[in-house]
Amino acid sequence: MAQWIHMSQMIQRLSDDTVNKLYPPTAFPIEVRHFLAEWIESQRWDDFALEKVELESQAQTLLDQTISMLQSISQQNANVVDRMKLMQISRNMRMLNQQPLRFAVMVKEILAKERALLSTLPQTPSSTPQYQQHQNRENSFPSLQDVDHLVLKVLEVQDIRQKMHQLQEELNWERQNFEGLQGPIQQNEMDPKNSEIQKLQNHIQQLEYNVKALATKRFQLLKECVDCLDQCQTRLISRLKAWRWEQHKATIGHPFDENLHPLQTWCEQLLGVNGKLRQELMLIGEPIPELQERLGKLLQVVIQSSLMVEKQPPQVIKTQSKFCTTVRYLLGEKIASGKPVVLKAQIMNEMQARNLGSVPGDNVGELINNTAILEHNAVSKSTCATFRNMSIKKIKRADRRGSESVTEEKFALLFSAEITITGCDTPYRIQMISLPVVVIVHGSQDNSALATIIWDCAFSESDRVPFMVPERVPWRMMYSTLNSKFTSEVQTNHNLDNYNQHFLAQKIFDKPDFGDDFSNILVSWAQFNKEVLPGRTFTFWQWFEGVIELSKKHLKTYWSEGLIFGFIGKQHLHLILKDRPNGTFLLRFSDSEIGGITIAYVSATENGGQKIQNIQPSTKKDLDIRNLGDRIRDINEITYLYPAFPKDEVFKRFYSEPQASPPGGYIPVSLQTRVGTEGREGSSAIPLTPSMTPIAVSPASNTYPVNQFQQPLGQQEQDMEGGASGEFPGFNDQASANMEIDFESLLQDLPE
């Protein structure tokens, strides 16, 4: 299949636009394409380059052989339509006789791309889902065989019309001869030419019969062509809808191929077939209302379905803020020249979106810079209208239902224009609606608005009534969404594992002791982002989204390499660490703080037992000051990453290089993380930032944790102390990891 595709690409590049429109490369019969591809592959192309002028004669030989082969195939082909197409292509390729090296290099590049494609697709398991998705997408297109069949039928109709025209001309001539001879024959009935006249009459009757037979076959073929066009277009419209649906799902991390060129090609081909069929109906001379009406409806559908929102507006939009969006018309090359097409955008609420075909209601919002002209780009062969500085000046909200908040109300942008297609007398109104958006007025609403969009993208049906979503979904669907969103945002192939999944379910359902399968338990929208978690001041989504943001900025590599355990409850933590030696630690996301990562480790108690310490979580702000690798290096109490990996071997490449001595004779200063609550004697310890203030007091020490800078002038690091925490089998509050500044030595060096 790849060979046929690339052979078609080569012929398309070698043929001029006129030939491509009349005889699309995809219209070649499969056996011809297969033969051509095999012959091309059998030749030697790798040595060619534009600068190798000495190979020009060899390139010319290959070009001549290719043209000769096409001509040979065409002469042996009994199908007149295929013969015409192959001869036209071979004549067109002769234009490259003056540039044979260009032809050879072109084929070389195409074959190289083919080999690269075939060698990379099946290599890794991670590429399998995306490859399968593209396979499914190809299957959902109108198949090449279907389009081949349709184009061939149209060409056959044209061939029959030409034959009928020739027969009709011959019939008219013979009738004229017969009428001229009829008078003399009646005067002399014994004339020996009577037998010839009788033959002429019989020939006329045969011509009349042949014309009628061809007319019947022509009508039948026209009907079959319209049926085939209807089927191809129905599948194409389904594919356009599927593209929009995949674009919708991309919001939660699903793979999405945004390339619209294949769809544009299908639209243009089917529009061209429609035009040829309408011409054939007009040339019949007598109306066929049924077929004319069907073609008219098919024409209207393909024209109105070809408007696509190529780049969606942001789905959370703040009023008075600029945003951009791009709308593309797939039949842009067919727009009648003259008056420019101006696309207009307007905002609509959920009720207006449900009644899109009716008379528009009240204006629910005011948009600024909401018009753009459809402009054709000859290089990319796309026709787009780009709204670069659109803004929502004000919004009118509907009456809210019950406890519904403003961040749960969904709107959409409607793009519309009036357009005239070349060859069509009637202008058409085209319109397309964007994905749902949530309009906010303050940045603090962004997180809740994003939750509304996530729920909508994850759980809506493809053919829903705008913008209906279920109130509850099974946990397995929720977990799949969380995993997809997490991996896509963090840009990692390392998925959440079963332990993570179980803890997340325990958290959202508030069932920390539940050990069974959560898969089919229903989770509600309220549990996702309306109700705060027990004992917390934030919702499940606010907490989970905080982890995503932390991981995106600071933890991508750690997570991708499996160094972070992630989401784990304290009971599970106790089970896996209870038999590990002192100093064993793991990294987990904070359960009590938004966007924090903490270190849990095993340490000794005063009576020789063991306890688990949970170090105060590090947030984005903390990791901006000192990265996670350096913090792990600083803490002497932790030695082995669970289950038994020496920390310096695992995290060494994350350690920062020692700072060079600063110029000007200044004493170097560095930050260092320490665990515990005791400052050094004679030092003045203050919290570095408010975010580093401890969130809990260690019950054993009853003092607050602090941070420390490294001693100046090369003094040795002071041993770090671990604050007491919970002994087995229970847990107590967190130990602290913080930093302090030693000002006493620094002040001695300051000028008075």
Side-chain angles (χ1 to χ4, degrees):
M1 175 61 74
Q3 291 174 330
W4 306 339
I5 292 171
H6 288 290
M7 185 61 210
S8 296
Q9 288 178 347
M10 187 194 73
I11 294 174
Q12 187 173 20
R13 291 174 67 179
L14 296 177
S15 306
D16 61 27
D17 290 339
T18 304
V19 174
N20 279 331
K21 292 171 185 175
L22 278 174
Y23 309 108
T26 54
F28 282 130
I30 288 178
E31 60 272 12
V32 174
R33 277 184 279 155
H34 188 39
F35 183 83
L36 289 173
E38 284 186 344
W39 185 87
I40 290 289
E41 287 265 355
S42 68
Q43 307 305 310
R44 183 176 181 85
W45 306 93
D46 294 339
D47 297 334
F48 290 109
L50 291 176
E51 60 273 12
K52 293 185 178 180
V53 184
E54 66 275 10
L55 298 178
E56 186 166 319
S57 60
Q58 187 178 344
Q60 183 67 57
T61 301
L62 285 173
L63 176 58
D64 292 339
Q65 289 177 355
T66 305
I67 295 173
S68 176
M69 184 198 61
L70 284 170
Q71 292 174 339
S72 176
I73 294 175
S74 67
Q75 291 169 2
Q76 298 171 13
N77 200 313
N79 189 310
V80 64
V81 175
D82 295 342
R83 189 160 61 247
M84 291 166 56
K85 289 187 295 180
L86 291 167
M87 289 300 294
Q88 182 65 53
I89 292 296
S90 65
R91 286 195 297 270
N92 207 55
M93 288 178 67
R94 288 192 179 279
M95 292 187 296
L96 288 171
N97 275 331
Q98 297 179 354
Q99 295 177 302
L101 273 177
R102 177 173 166 241
F103 165 77
V105 171
M106 195 183 301
V107 177
K108 171 188 171 182
E109 292 174 352
I110 292 172
L111 292 177
K113 290 179 182 178
E114 175 187 336
R115 285 191 285 268
L117 176 66
L118 294 176
S119 64
T120 56
L121 279 178
Q123 279 184 351
T124 59
S126 62
S127 67
T128 302
Q130 189 171 3
Y131 174 67
Q132 290 176 344
Q133 181 204 21
H134 290 175
Q135 292 282 68
N136 294 335
R137 171 174 289 190
E138 285 185 7
N139 293 336
S140 65
F141 277 138
S143 67
L144 292 178
Q145 292 86 348
D146 288 345
V147 177
D148 288 346
H149 184 64
L150 175 57
V151 172
L152 288 175
K153 277 187 174 295
V154 173
L155 291 171
E156 191 174 353
V157 170
Q158 294 173 337
D159 187 47
I160 289 176
R161 169 172 52 79
Q162 292 170 358
K163 288 180 179 179
M164 286 180 63
H165 182 72
Q166 294 171 359
L167 286 175
Q168 189 63 51
E169 286 184 339
E170 185 179 355
L171 178 59
N172 294 340
W173 178 258
E174 297 295 1
R175 281 175 176 170
Q176 181 177 331
N177 290 339
F178 180 77
E179 290 173 359
L181 295 174
Q182 207 170 18
I185 293 174
Q186 290 175 352
Q187 295 175 2
N188 186 1
E189 296 181 359
M190 300 303 294
D191 194 308
K193 293 184 179 179
N194 279 345
S195 59
E196 294 182 11
I197 299 303
Q198 185 62 39
K199 288 180 181 179
L200 180 59
Q201 188 173 10
N202 293 339
H203 183 53
I204 290 173
Q205 291 175 352
Q206 183 63 45
L207 288 173
E208 290 174 343
Y209 175 81
N210 291 344
V211 169
K212 289 181 181 179
L214 286 176
T216 302
K217 184 178 181 181
R218 180 187 185 187
F219 174 77
Q220 185 61 34
L221 275 175
L222 278 170
K223 189 176 184 306
E224 291 177 8
C225 285
V226 175
D227 290 339
C228 187
L229 176 62
D230 197 345
Q231 294 170 8
C232 287
Q233 188 165 304
T234 298
R235 296 180 65 184
L236 175 61
I237 300 304
S238 296
R239 182 58 218 134
L240 291 171
K241 292 179 180 178
W243 188 92
R244 297 186 192 106
W245 180 243
E246 291 170 15
Q247 186 188 44
H248 192 192
K249 288 294 184 180
T251 303
I252 55 172
H254 285 204
F256 169 56
D257 181 6
E258 61 186 14
N259 182 17
L260 277 170
H261 285 293
L263 288 169
Q264 178 171 311
T265 300
W266 291 119
C267 289
E268 291 172 345
Q269 286 183 334
L270 295 184
L271 179 68
V273 168
N274 191 302
K276 291 175 183 177
L277 290 175
R278 285 185 289 116
Q279 287 178 356
E280 292 301 319
L281 284 177
M282 286 188 291
L283 291 172
I284 288 179
E286 54 186 64
I288 306 178
E290 178 191 355
L291 297 184
Q292 290 171 333
E293 183 178 348
R294 287 183 63 190
L295 285 174
K297 289 181 178 179
L298 290 172
L299 177 66
Q300 180 178 353
V301 169
V302 74
I303 289 174
Q304 294 181 334
S305 300
S306 297
L307 190 65
M308 308 288 283
V309 184
E310 185 174 40
K311 180 184 177 183
Q312 292 284 341
Q315 290 192 260
V316 177
I317 303 176
K318 184 175 178 291
T319 55
Q320 311 291 336
S321 298
K322 293 180 182 179
F323 62 91
C324 67
T325 181
T326 301
V327 182
R328 178 168 172 177
Y329 191 56
L330 301 182
L331 295 175
E333 292 189 349
K334 311 299 181 181
I335 296 176
S337 58
K339 183 179 178 182
V341 178
V342 179
L343 211 64
K344 182 179 180 181
Q346 64 184 89
I347 193 164
M348 58 193 337
N349 59 25
E350 187 170 327
M351 189 58 64
Q352 290 174 326
R354 293 180 186 179
N355 300 284
L356 197 55
S358 61
V359 179
D362 296 337
N363 193 352
V364 299
E366 183 179 343
L367 293 178
I368 299 175
N369 300 324
N370 64 327
T371 59
I373 296 175
L374 274 176
E375 296 177 313
H376 182 70
N377 187 316
V379 176
S380 63
K381 294 186 177 180
S382 61
T383 303
C384 300
T386 302
F387 300 81
R388 292 181 174 84
N389 296 294
M390 202 185 312
S391 175
I392 300 177
K393 184 177 181 180
K394 59 182 180 180
I395 194 74
K396 179 181 178 182
R397 301 190 182 275
D399 295 332
R400 293 192 289 276
R401 301 180 294 271
S403 61
E404 185 181 52
S405 69
V406 295
T407 57
E408 295 176 66
E409 185 177 4
K410 287 174 274 191
F411 297 86
L413 298 182
L414 177 68
F415 303 94
S416 60
E418 192 173 83
I419 200 164
T420 302
I421 298 295
T422 303
C424 302
D425 298 329
T426 307
Y428 292 89
R429 177 175 172 78
I430 56 174
Q431 61 183 24
M432 181 50 60
I433 193 171
S434 74
L435 296 178
V437 302
V438 176
V439 181
I440 62 175
V441 297
H442 193 276
S444 62
Q445 299 171 318
D446 185 80
N447 186 277
S448 294
L450 182 58
T452 299
I453 295 301
I454 296 296
W455 189 277
D456 182 273
C457 292
F459 309 125
S460 58
E461 299 292 338
S462 59
D463 54 351
R464 63 170 173 177
V465 175
F467 297 109
M468 297 292 292
V469 288
E471 184 64 27
R472 299 174 182 273
V473 296
W475 167 250
R476 65 178 182 275
M477 293 176 62
M478 171 59 73
Y479 166 70
S480 176
T481 299
L482 295 175
N483 180 64
S484 179
K485 185 65 176 176
F486 182 89
T487 54
S488 66
E489 289 289 333
V490 180
Q491 296 182 348
T492 177
N493 292 322
H494 185 60
N495 294 305
L496 304 179
D497 61 22
N498 292 333
Y499 298 114
N500 297 154
Q501 176 186 0
H502 194 75
F503 172 70
L504 291 172
Q506 288 178 327
K507 190 171 185 69
I508 199 170
F509 290 114
D510 189 27
K511 293 184 177 182
D513 300 323
F514 190 79
D516 293 336
D517 187 13
F518 284 95
S519 296
N520 295 318
I521 300 180
L522 297 180
V523 58
S524 68
W525 159 249
Q527 289 171 310
F528 180 64
N529 194 54
K530 284 183 73 71
E531 301 169 354
V532 297
L533 293 169
R536 309 295 184 214
T537 59
F538 44 81
T539 67
F540 176 87
W541 167 251
Q542 290 171 337
W543 170 76
F544 187 81
E545 199 263 346
V547 171
I548 291 177
E549 291 301 312
L550 177 71
S551 302
K552 277 167 53 176
K553 187 169 183 181
H554 292 289
L555 306 177
K556 175 183 175 179
T557 306
Y558 299 92
W559 174 267
S560 298
E561 295 184 6
L563 304 181
I564 298 176
F565 202 96
F567 302 99
I568 180 174
K570 288 186 177 180
Q571 290 185 348
H572 184 208
L573 181 66
H574 169 74
L575 290 175
I576 65 175
L577 289 182
K578 66 178 181 179
D579 296 326
R580 310 311 303 179
N582 293 343
T584 302
F585 72 99
L586 58 78
L587 301 168
R588 70 181 186 90
F589 297 123
S590 173
D591 178 41
S592 59
E593 196 166 319
I594 293 179
I597 186 167
T598 185
I599 301 172
Y601 70 98
V602 181
S603 65
T605 62
E606 294 178 357
N607 58 10
Q610 286 185 317
K611 58 185 176 182
I612 292 181
Q613 301 274 47
N614 286 280
I615 297 176
Q616 178 179 333
S618 298
T619 63
K620 283 195 298 182
K621 193 171 184 179
D622 299 324
L623 298 181
D624 281 337
I625 298 172
R626 190 161 180 79
N627 71 45
L628 182 62
D630 287 340
R631 288 172 180 268
I632 291 172
R633 177 178 58 179
D634 292 343
I635 302 174
N636 294 330
E637 286 83 358
I638 59 177
T639 53
Y640 291 95
L641 178 68
Y642 176 84
F645 299 107
K647 75 172 185 180
D648 288 334
E649 292 183 9
V650 176
F651 293 97
K652 184 177 181 179
R653 69 187 188 88
F654 298 102
Y655 297 165
S656 300
E657 295 293 330
Q659 289 183 348
S661 298
Y666 288 103
I667 301 174
V669 177
S670 63
L671 292 171
Q672 183 181 2
T673 307
R674 64 174 304 199
V675 174
T677 57
E678 295 183 7
R680 289 172 293 133
E681 184 178 355
S683 67
S684 175
I686 62 172
L688 186 64
T689 64
S691 66
M692 291 183 177
T693 303
I695 62 172
V697 177
S698 176
S701 63
N702 202 31
T703 57
Y704 288 95
V706 293
N707 294 320
Q708 108 173 0
F709 274 87
Q710 192 175 18
Q711 281 279 12
L713 301 177
Q715 292 182 358
Q716 298 294 318
E717 296 180 2
Q718 182 176 344
D719 291 339
M720 302 177 189
E721 300 175 337
S725 188
E727 298 186 10
F728 294 126
F731 289 84
N732 287 334
D733 294 331
Q734 298 167 326
S736 301
N738 231 317
M739 300 180 184
E740 67 180 19
I741 304 175
D742 183 1
F743 287 100
E744 187 172 329
S745 299
L746 298 178
L747 290 173
Q748 295 175 3
D749 199 50
L750 293 177
E752 297 183 359

